[in-house]
Structures are given as structure tokens and as C-alpha cells.
Amino acid sequence: MPDVFADLVGQDEAVTELRRAAAAAAAVLRAAATDRTPALVAAGEADPAPAAGTSDPASGMTHAWIFTGPPGSGRSVAARAFAAALQCAYGTGCGECPGCHTTMGGTNADVRMVVPEGLSIGVGEMRALVLRAASTPSGGRWQVVVIEDADRLTEAAGNALLKAIEEPPPRTVFLLCAPSTHPDDISVTIRSRCRVVPLRQPPATAVAEVLVRRDGIAPDVAQWAAAAAQGHVGRARRLARDPEARKRREAVLAVPRRLTGVGAAFDAASALIEAAEAEAEASVAEADAAERAALETALGAGGTGRGAAGAIRGAAGQLKELEKRQKSRATRAQRDALDRALVDLAGFYRDALTMALRAPVDPVHTDTAALADAGAQKWDAEGSLRRLEAVLACRAAIDANVKPRIAVEAMMLALWKG
Ligand SMILES: [Zn+2]
């Protein structure tokens, strides 16, 4: 296994900072072992101000971190790698020792990854997590809690987390991931107690390199996929490997030439929504069925005799709870699928815009470059920009909870009218 930071593409500055912090954290543990300085805050931070964790951005260790960056920049990859570096027995993420191995494999007892499946992380889940995070690390190093999509915390859950971050147990480290530190994404009070690690959108060449090296993908395919995915590593990997993902992308990129009238615009909107629904359905169906089967087995489905009636009533409640959770997950999967389609579409109009401006940049979608060029000549820069803005406005509207179908229909009409 290579070094734990190997998959963090094009983020050299962040990796340097995280390694330094992991080394400082190891020093804290060594000091604690000789009983000189028992706690992280005392040893790692010289500044006793309220925002103790943020006192020295250049070095040292602190107990709360936020990884920010655009989707696909590797927020959760960075958080996991840092968690491994903190559990590493020999260095700062050697990739060889049990601490690194178990963390990267998701089996380390002292590392919890919270991956929200629904649209938000609830307070119950967060309270349980904070409670467990306060326990002594079984491996003798750190309790690490990774919260992916911390921007999806409910307000109450955020408050529960804030309490834990304000009065951190001595050996607990919180790693949050969010698109940005904007107050919409993360509360100002949580932000003020965390050190921020900004990640940037990795360049396509760096993404292509990792696809070739790690996934064994042919260089030309890797290069195409990296460009088409606009710096999103996971998306690039899927495009390179999954023919279905490629087909869906092609269908999305066919939208601009299909918009020949009002009826066609509504048809295109329906097609886009239904494709997102189908994709989401396929992605959650297997997990849904497995969860339901597991719950039914646990509840002893089909049981008879004394107590069976009461058990069935209890079981109905649990099944209902499961269905609620699954519905929330399905909604999120639909939104994510639709968002991917909109990002692809935005890439097309961005290509048209840069071509109209004769900007010396490579197109996002090399395979529809000719079509984008034709659009550029027909629409000019202004028309291309208006269309790009229509796509971005649709994303923003859905983000603000406008019904997806309505937002997409409005976008299609705007794209058709130009
Ligand atoms: Zn290690």
C-alpha cells in the first residue's frame, strides 16, 4: 500500500500541512507517554484564547478541522488520509502499519466516518456520535470523527457538535468536510473553532495521472475522462470505467441540439428528470433491498405464537422508520444525479463561451467541441454566457429547494430562447 496521501490529487500544500500536524500529534502522544503534557490543547497550542484551535495556522496539531473545496476535490479523501496519519504507528501515514491499514480500510475502531445518506444529518445521530467520540481511544492514539458533508448538519445537530468542539475530550479529533466556510455551509461558531484546510480543484492532468497509476486506465481514456469530469476524481473514474455513466453523459450533452421548440424544451426537461430518477433508483435499489431483508430477518418475519402480535406491531414501526430513511436517501441520490447532469451541461456552454471569446483554454468536453463551436458562432459570447447562466441558475434554484422539475423546465425554456 502506498503512502496514505497518495490519492489526494494535486493538493501538495494541504498534504504538507497535514503531515506537519500529524507529526505534532505524534509528539503530543510521546510527551503524554512520559507524562509531561497530558492533553492535546496544552501541548499543541500555546495560545489560550477561546479559539485555541486556530491559534497557529502553520504548525502544530489541533482538535478540530474543516476540509473545504469543490465537489470531487478530495475533501473526504483528505480527511480519511489525515485520520490514518494520526493513527500511524511509524510516521505520518506510512500506509504500511496496522493503524494506516485499518483506517484506510474503514475498520479502525477509533475512526468513525459519518456519511449522511439523507439530505441532512440529524441531532440524534450527532448526539450518539459525540458521546462515543468522548471515549478513550482503544488503540491508544486518537479518537477521530470524520463528518462528510458537514454542510448537511441540521441546526440542532450542529449545536450538539459545537458543544463537543468547544469542550473537546483530550484525545478526540473532529474532521469536517464542507464545500466552503460560507455561513450557509458551516456555522460561524463552528468555523471559528476549526482550522481550515482549503483544497482546490485538481488540474485534469493530475486526475488523469492518478487514473492511470492507481486504476490502470489507458492514458488516452484517462485524459478524456479527467477533462470531462472537470477535476472531479470520482466522476472521472466512473466515466472511464462505467459505460452506463458514459451513456448518461452523452444523453445530457445531446440536450442543446434537441431544443428546437417549446414542446421539445419540456420533453428535454422530462427526459433529464427521469434519467436522474432512474440513475438514483439503480444506485440505491440494491442497498434498500439488502437493508429490508436484514431487518426482516432480525425481526423474525413470519413468526407465530405468543408475543407475535406485539412483535409485529413493533416491527411495523421499525420498517416504517427504515422506509423513511431510504426515501430520504433516494431523494438525495436523485439530486446528486441531476446535479451531475447540470454540471455536464454547464461545461458544454462554458466551452461555447470560451470558443466565442477565442480564449486559449482546452474544452471541457472534447467530444462535443465541434458542436460547442457551432453554438459559439450562432450565439456569440453573450448568448453563450446567458445559456451558461441559465444552467447555473437552475442548480442554485434546486439548491434553494425549488422543485427540480420546475427549475429544469425553466432552464430548458431559457436555453431554447437563449
Ligand atoms: Zn502507518
Side-chain angles (χ1 to χ4, degrees):
M1 194 191 212
D3 181 287
V4 297
F5 290 106
D7 287 343
L8 197 53
V9 186
Q11 311 289 355
D12 296 346
E13 281 165 44
V15 171
T16 304
E17 182 180 359
L18 295 173
R19 274 193 205 289
R20 197 180 293 146
V28 171
L29 293 179
R30 280 195 301 275
T34 57
D35 208 20
R36 278 182 290 130
T37 30
L40 171 62
V41 178
E45 304 293 337
D47 183 0
T54 58
S55 61
D56 181 4
S59 67
M61 176 58 187
T62 189
H63 68 281
W65 298 72
I66 302 179
F67 296 85
T68 62
S73 57
R75 297 179 307 229
S76 60
V77 176
R80 185 187 290 264
F82 185 41
L86 290 173
Q87 307 296 6
C88 180
Y90 301 129
T92 54
C94 67
E96 306 288 338
C97 73
C100 286
H101 255 282
T102 52
T103 305
M104 297 306 275
T107 58
N108 190 301
D110 295 332
V111 178
R112 295 195 175 78
M113 302 282 294
V114 182
V115 186
E117 294 191 320
L119 290 173
S120 61
I121 308 175
V123 64
E125 198 182 337
M126 185 52 65
R127 283 208 185 111
L129 188 77
V130 163
L131 205 63
R132 274 185 302 161
S135 60
T136 309
S138 60
R141 298 185 69 87
W142 305 99
Q143 282 280 7
V144 185
V145 178
V146 180
I147 302 174
E148 288 188 31
D149 299 323
D151 53 309
R152 284 172 166 152
L153 290 171
T154 60
E155 197 184 340
N159 287 337
L161 175 65
L162 176 62
K163 246 183 241 162
I165 291 179
E166 279 177 333
E167 292 165 31
R171 288 288 186 88
T172 305
V173 180
F174 292 94
L175 308 180
L176 280 50
C177 307
S180 75
T181 53
H182 189 278
D184 283 353
D185 286 337
I186 206 93
S187 84
V188 175
T189 39
I190 290 183
R191 153 80 188 83
S192 72
R193 312 233 164 217
C194 295
R195 189 180 297 169
V196 179
V197 181
L199 302 174
R200 45 194 189 119
Q201 181 166 309
T205 47
V207 174
E209 192 269 325
V210 89
L211 293 187
V212 172
R213 172 172 56 76
R214 200 201 125 127
D215 302 290
I217 290 163
D220 55 333
V221 176
Q223 252 154 36
W224 164 80
Q230 303 178 56
H232 191 306
V233 184
R235 171 96 176 122
R237 187 173 290 135
R238 254 195 313 279
L239 281 176
R241 278 184 170 166
D242 179 3
E244 288 298 313
R246 282 200 291 276
K247 243 188 261 168
R248 283 192 291 268
R249 172 180 168 278
E250 274 162 27
V252 169
L253 292 178
V255 163
R257 60 173 174 259
R258 289 211 178 138
L259 296 173
T260 52
V262 177
F266 278 103
D267 287 348
S270 284
L272 198 64
I273 295 280
E274 279 152 28
E277 282 171 359
E279 184 185 345
E281 169 97 35
S283 74
V284 298
E286 205 175 314
D288 281 2
E291 280 173 3
R292 194 179 174 97
L295 181 60
E296 280 173 351
T297 307
L299 295 170
T304 52
R306 293 182 65 185
I312 285 166
R313 276 197 299 278
Q318 288 192 45
L319 278 172
K320 214 167 158 192
E321 190 56 38
L322 177 68
E323 277 164 13
K324 204 173 114 193
R325 232 176 29 241
Q326 290 183 340
K327 185 154 183 275
S328 175
R329 178 168 64 196
T331 306
R332 174 162 174 205
Q334 267 174 36
R335 293 240 182 127
D336 289 350
L338 186 56
D339 197 57
R340 275 194 294 280
L342 293 174
V343 169
D344 282 345
L345 204 53
F348 174 84
Y349 291 108
R350 171 216 174 263
D351 286 348
L353 177 62
T354 55
M355 286 168 186
L357 293 171
R358 303 193 200 303
V361 291
D362 292 331
V364 170
H365 301 299
T366 46
D367 44 358
T368 53
L371 204 62
D373 194 33
Q377 292 181 21
K378 202 162 85 188
W379 306 323
D380 216 345
E382 269 178 49
S384 304
L385 179 61
R386 274 199 305 278
R387 287 170 173 85
L388 173 57
E389 282 173 342
V391 180
L392 299 179
C394 178
R395 285 185 83 199
I398 291 171
D399 210 37
N401 275 326
V402 172
K403 215 164 171 268
R405 181 174 289 272
I406 292 174
V408 171
E409 283 173 355
M411 174 191 78
M412 291 295 186
L413 286 173
L415 291 177
W416 167 62
K417 284 188 203 147

